[in-house]
């Protein structure tokens, strides 16, 4: 647990925001040092100016059978929380559709407030379009959110803690992905460079595991039929611990992160539960994203350490 405390404290104190190229470069140097201390051989992978991503890869992607990944960049601030309900897709869609309507309504109101007093109706449409596009740009590339404990940091803490707990294993590759918040550019670049491995091997995406007593394990539609995988997950993440695990193999679920770029994947995320809504992740991309439960990280780390030999040695 002390390892987790140390990693968490350093990351949230020294590198709480990782939006600019300089902030991300400084954080990468720390991650590289931590991985080397844990016995891994990490390196940076760059993908050119057009993509702009720099991923950290520990281990040999060409020899690995399992890839553990998370993203290390942090998000911009949003006026409304970035609501995520992985198992209630309808609620997820309705929320974001409503948020888009509110943005459009605000842009319309501002355009009307400018054009009407000037008696310039011809300004209405172009001004509305400019304001709507500006609102969308701010949501993706606006001021950095200053609190990123769960949404941007819990996965980094969990993967670094897992690297220490597991030790180096040539069958495993650790990937810290860049530009999750910019249309998953880091995951796209990694997939393109390692297309054969990315298309046929298991990727476990660890994201938002710091806030919530329920641990969701979400296999993709291509992974949920792998009985060996499901048995290993059930055994590795037992009930009765500090978190309540839920292996979801039926029904529709959606998780909007780097996992979308990999065919065979499992998402690992922590959620709260609300009757009538189901599982959800609170406070993303707001100043209230301050929870990073060390017990959650310990449960995830121990589960991954149990899972890998169960899955790889069957």
């Amino acid at each position: 647990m002390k390892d987790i405390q140390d990693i968490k404290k350093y990351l949230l104190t020294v590198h709480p925001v990782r939006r600019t190229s300089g902030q991300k470069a400084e954080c990468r140097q720390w991650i590289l040092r931590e991985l080397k201390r844990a016995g891994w051989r990490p390196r940076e992978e760059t993908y050119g100016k057009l993509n702009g991503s720099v991923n950290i890869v520990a281990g040999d992607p060409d020899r690995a059978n399992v890839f553990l990944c998370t993203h290390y960049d942090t998000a911009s601030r949003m006026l409304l929380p970035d609501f995520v309900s992985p198992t209630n897709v309808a609620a997820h869609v309705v929320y974001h559709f409503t948020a888009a309507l509110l943005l459009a309504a605000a842009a319309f109101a501002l355009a009307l407030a400018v054009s009407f007093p000037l008696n310039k109706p011809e300004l209405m449409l172009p001004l509305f379009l400019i304001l709507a596009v500006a609102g969308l740009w701010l949501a993706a590339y606006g001021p950095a959110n200053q609190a990123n404990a769960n949404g941007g940091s819990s996965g980094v803490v969990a993967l670094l803690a897992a690297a220490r707990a597991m030790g180096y294993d040539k069958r495993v590759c650790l990937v810290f992905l860049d530009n999750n918040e910019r249309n998953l550019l880091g995951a796209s670049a990694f997939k393109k460079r390692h297309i054969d491995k990315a298309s046929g091997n298991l990727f476990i995406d660890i994201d938002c595991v710091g806030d919530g007593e329920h641990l969701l394990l979400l296999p993709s539609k291509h992974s949920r039929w792998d009985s060996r995988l499901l048995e290993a997950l059930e055994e590795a993440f037992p009930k009765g611990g500090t978190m309540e695990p839920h292996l979801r193999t039926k029904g529709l679920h959606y998780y909007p992160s780097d996992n979308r770029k990999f065919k065979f994947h499992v998402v690992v995320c922590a959620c709260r539960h609300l009757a009538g809504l189901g599982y959800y992740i609170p406070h993303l991309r707001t100043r209230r994203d301050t929870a990073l439960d060390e017990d959650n990280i310990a449960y995830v780390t121990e589960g991954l350490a149990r899972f890998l030999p169960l899955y790889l040695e069957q």
Side-chain angles (χ1 to χ4, degrees), residues 1-42:
M1 184 68 78
K2 187 177 185 304
D3 285 347
I4 295 172
Q5 293 173 346
D6 292 342
I7 295 170
K8 169 188 170 181
K9 182 177 180 180
Y10 192 93
L11 180 61
L12 296 186
T13 302
V14 182
H15 304 292
V17 178
R18 300 165 310 270
R19 283 279 288 169
T20 68
S21 58
Q23 290 168 340
K24 290 192 284 187
E26 290 176 357
C27 184
R28 285 197 304 272
Q29 292 306 307
W30 171 69
I31 293 174
L32 289 167
R33 292 195 300 270
E34 289 297 312
L35 289 169
K36 289 176 182 177
R37 289 195 189 101
W40 293 78
R41 296 189 290 273

Side-chain angles (χ1 to χ4, degrees), residues 289-310:
D289 184 7
T290 58
L292 205 174
D293 192 320
E294 295 167 12
D295 289 333
N296 280 21
I297 304 301
Y299 182 84
V300 171
T301 300
E302 292 163 4
L304 291 172
R306 286 190 293 263
F307 167 77
L308 288 170
L310 288 171

Side-chain angles (χ1 to χ4, degrees), residues 37-226:
R37 289 195 189 101
W40 293 78
R41 296 189 290 273
R43 69 181 190 280
E44 293 183 348
E45 275 194 357
T46 59
Y47 307 96
K49 292 183 178 180
L50 184 62
N51 182 282
S53 299
V54 183
N55 296 333
I56 295 175
V57 179
D60 187 349
D62 295 328
R63 300 170 65 188
N65 303 115
V66 175
F67 294 78
L68 305 181
C69 63
T70 191
H71 71 91
Y72 69 89
D73 61 316
T74 57
S76 60
R77 176 77 178 273
M78 294 182 69
L79 295 177
L80 297 174
D82 184 14
F83 175 76
V84 175
S85 181
T87 59
N88 192 335
V89 179
H92 181 92
V93 172
V94 168
Y95 179 89
H96 286 275
F97 180 72
T98 302
L101 287 180
L102 290 173
L103 174 64
F108 179 84
L110 286 171
L112 183 63
V114 172
S115 61
F116 184 77
L118 296 175
N119 195 25
K120 296 282 188 179
E122 65 273 14
L123 286 178
M124 183 71 187
L125 180 58
L127 189 56
F128 166 73
L129 293 175
I130 290 170
L131 291 170
V133 171
L136 292 173
W137 185 89
L138 283 172
Y141 304 105
N145 194 39
Q146 299 300 309
N148 306 286
N150 186 34
S153 301
S154 61
V156 175
V157 175
L159 193 50
L160 285 176
R164 290 187 181 186
M166 296 181 306
Y168 173 72
D169 188 329
K170 66 181 180 181
R171 301 167 298 177
V172 180
C173 183
L174 312 180
V175 188
F176 294 79
L177 295 164
D178 192 7
N179 283 332
N180 169 276
E181 304 296 342
R182 295 188 176 181
N183 202 30
L184 314 179
L185 287 176
S188 297
F190 185 85
K191 178 181 178 180
K192 184 176 180 180
R193 180 165 296 184
H194 306 283
I195 185 65
D196 291 337
K197 303 297 284 188
S199 300
N201 287 271
L202 176 65
F203 281 73
I204 298 181
D205 186 16
I206 307 161
D207 193 23
C208 297
V209 291
D211 188 1
E213 64 276 14
H214 298 275
L215 186 74
L216 298 192
L217 305 167
L218 306 175
S220 69
K221 64 180 181 179
H222 301 287
S223 299
R224 61 174 63 179
W225 311 112
D226 185 344

